[in-house]
Amino acid sequence: MKTKQRFAGLLRRYFFLSGILGHIAVLAFILLRPEIFDKVINKVQDEFYSAAIGSEPGEMLKFPSVSEEIEAVLFPWRPSSEFLPSNLHYVNGKPYESLQEALKSLSDDDTLEIAEGVYSEPFEIHRDRVTIIGRGHVVFEKAAIRDKAYIVNYADDLTVKNIECRDIIVSDRNGACIRQEGSNLTLEHVYFHSSENGVLEASNKPSKILIYNSRFEQLGRLGRAHGIYTNTAELYIYDSMFIASKSEGHEIKSRGAVTEIHGSILASLSGVDSRLLDISNGGRLVVSKSLLQQGAVSSNGQVIGYALEGRKHADNSIRLAENVFIFDRIGYNTMLASDEQYVDTMISRNVLIGDVRMADIDVSNLVYKDRSTVGFPPYPYLPTAWCTEPSECQIKGILQ
């Protein structure tokens, strides 16, 4: 009897110690090789959501990867023809053969033009009112200064035009193409993709971020990195695209007092994203004349989240007008989820397509059962009819 009790005691201690050592080993693996751990987690997520889609008739994945799906649905990003290719760098018209020398020469109010090419030379900006322009196809990739971002901006009033940025990953899983620590940032015709954050704003100054004619694609990491992540800045977005955030990232996460989005596309496609819009701490939210598509495998049933992490702003209001919402997600879907407090809300003249639950919807909104009812193409394609200027439309439509 004593022998059995002793054996049982040894067995309990064995499993107890094995459990502790196993957890320590897993934790060490996560800390030492986070990139491999992330790949394993993402693979499991992809397999799970692919199985979920496969179990629903009529909602099958049509492409073997999200990247191939994007290629089929959208035209590729192209650098602007406004800025012709160059073999030299320029600061206010003065030529430099070395980008680092050009950066060292910068003063307030300067314009830096970067020669066409692919670069892995991350840098900081410390001068105010600097404009950075890519001449031809300029790509920043696979590098981060101070383990933060490709560009870390400490200055005020930075403008960046005609730049592609990709594959930015850092040890704390929160890297970015641009980390904004100064005041005011303007982006025009940039393409930030396949990284953790596109833009991460962490300024303690009053600030605005303005984005025009730009594209943010396949950004996010483990729900803590996003297409854009602002902490204090007001955010204004015009004629831009936020496509297929990954690893449960939001297309846009904004904590600032104002978030406005006009004439833009926010689309999950088949990315394993979370919300299209997460307005974490309330404030003034305006979305107008935009296309918002919730994908079949989005991990969150809420398209827009408002003040779900507590309110921090005096002015709290929601205006959603003249938008097209497409709800493709399999399962329970909510257009707008907010905290339990009152917020001045106007939702009018929108078109809602798919299975979505909304209370007390205004009669000016049109609700349709599915895509075919309004002549829209099947999932995951986006409607070319949404484009007001066909010559500038980035949506391909279905190729016969």
Side-chain angles (χ1 to χ4, degrees):
M1 188 69 172
K2 290 182 179 180
T3 303
K4 289 183 178 179
Q5 290 175 342
R6 184 181 178 189
F7 177 75
L10 289 171
L11 195 61
R12 282 195 297 272
R13 284 196 291 272
Y14 167 77
F15 283 116
F16 177 74
L17 291 173
S18 298
I20 291 176
L21 292 173
H23 281 86
I24 291 173
V26 171
L27 181 60
F29 176 71
I30 293 171
L31 293 174
L32 294 173
R33 299 301 300 274
E35 71 284 356
I36 295 179
F37 179 75
D38 287 351
K39 287 180 180 179
V40 172
I41 293 298
N42 288 335
K43 180 66 174 176
V44 171
Q45 287 180 335
D46 289 345
E47 291 295 331
F48 173 80
Y49 288 109
S50 295
I53 277 193
S55 67
E56 296 287 339
E59 292 288 352
M60 301 293 291
L61 285 174
K62 295 180 173 62
F63 301 93
S65 71
V66 176
S67 296
E68 290 172 86
E69 179 178 279
I70 292 171
E71 184 179 347
V73 173
L74 300 170
F75 289 107
W77 181 86
R78 299 294 185 202
S80 173
S81 59
E82 179 182 354
F83 306 108
L84 297 177
S86 169
N87 293 323
L88 295 174
H89 313 287
Y90 294 90
V91 175
N92 297 340
K94 180 180 178 180
Y96 291 84
E97 292 189 2
S98 163
L99 176 56
Q100 292 303 317
E101 289 301 316
L103 287 164
K104 289 177 184 177
S105 75
L106 286 176
S107 298
D108 292 350
D109 302 296
D110 280 354
T111 296
L112 167 63
E113 299 175 71
I114 299 178
E116 185 169 63
V118 178
Y119 298 88
S120 297
E121 306 172 62
F123 55 87
E124 298 174 348
I125 297 294
H126 295 274
R127 301 293 187 177
D128 294 339
R129 298 176 300 280
V130 166
T131 297
I132 298 173
I133 299 172
R135 293 282 301 270
H137 194 176
V138 175
V139 180
F140 298 158
E141 68 170 15
K142 298 178 182 177
I145 194 165
R146 299 185 187 275
D147 203 34
K148 288 185 175 182
Y150 197 95
I151 299 175
V152 178
N153 178 47
Y154 297 102
D156 297 341
D157 303 308
L158 173 66
T159 297
V160 178
K161 300 181 181 183
N162 200 44
I163 297 289
E164 178 179 351
C165 175
R166 65 194 182 201
D167 302 324
I168 309 301
I169 298 172
V170 302
S171 60
D172 72 355
R173 311 176 191 182
N174 216 10
C177 287
I178 297 179
R179 185 179 177 103
Q180 171 71 354
E181 299 197 10
S183 178
N184 301 330
L185 172 67
T186 299
L187 303 178
E188 296 182 20
H189 196 66
V190 302
Y191 178 34
F192 294 172
H193 65 103
S194 309
S195 300
E196 291 170 329
N197 297 282
V199 174
L200 173 59
E201 179 265 321
S203 178
N204 56 10
K205 302 178 180 181
S207 183
K208 293 182 180 180
I209 296 177
L210 290 83
I211 299 174
Y212 302 93
N213 186 32
S214 294
R215 182 159 163 173
F216 293 72
E217 182 180 295
Q218 289 198 280
L219 299 157
R221 190 171 184 186
L222 295 178
R224 61 180 294 179
H226 313 280
I228 288 185
Y229 190 172
T230 68
N231 280 285
T232 60
E234 297 181 3
L235 178 61
Y236 300 87
I237 297 170
Y238 304 91
D239 304 313
S240 296
M241 302 178 67
F242 294 80
I243 303 297
S245 286
K246 61 185 180 180
S247 190
E248 298 190 341
H250 306 304
E251 272 68 21
I252 297 169
K253 184 178 180 75
S254 173
R255 296 185 182 276
V258 179
T259 305
E260 292 196 13
I261 301 169
H262 303 281
S264 296
I265 297 174
L266 283 66
S268 306
L269 300 183
S270 294
V272 185
D273 60 354
S274 184
R275 302 181 183 100
L276 293 178
L277 268 174
D278 188 90
I279 312 303
S280 312
N281 302 121
R284 189 173 84 232
L285 170 63
V286 179
V287 184
S288 74
K289 299 181 179 179
S290 294
L291 172 63
L292 296 89
Q293 180 263 343
Q294 181 191 37
V297 293
S298 292
S299 63
N300 197 321
Q302 302 164 356
V303 175
I304 301 173
Y306 182 88
L308 298 178
E309 297 180 38
R311 298 194 185 189
K312 292 185 177 179
H313 308 294
D315 179 10
N316 294 280
S317 61
I318 299 172
R319 299 287 184 270
L320 308 176
E322 300 181 68
N323 303 292
V324 175
F325 288 84
I326 305 176
F327 304 94
D328 289 317
R329 182 177 179 272
I330 299 168
Y332 183 90
N333 303 307
T334 302
M335 178 180 175
L336 173 65
S338 62
D339 61 358
E340 298 300 321
Q341 302 180 54
Y342 170 78
V343 56
D344 178 18
T345 303
M346 183 187 74
I347 302 175
S348 64
R349 305 184 306 282
N350 301 285
V351 176
L352 284 64
I353 300 167
D355 185 13
V356 62
R357 284 131 180 109
M358 274 198 63
D360 303 321
I361 188 167
D362 187 281
V363 294
S364 68
N365 298 282
L366 301 176
V367 183
Y368 297 93
K369 179 182 178 181
D370 53 37
R371 288 164 167 258
S372 62
T373 307
V374 289
F376 280 7
Y379 178 86
Y381 296 96
L382 300 178
T384 55
W386 182 84
C387 300
T388 55
E389 295 291 337
S391 62
E392 299 177 4
C393 188
Q394 297 188 57
I395 300 172
K396 279 186 177 180
I398 299 178
L399 300 178
Q400 301 297 331

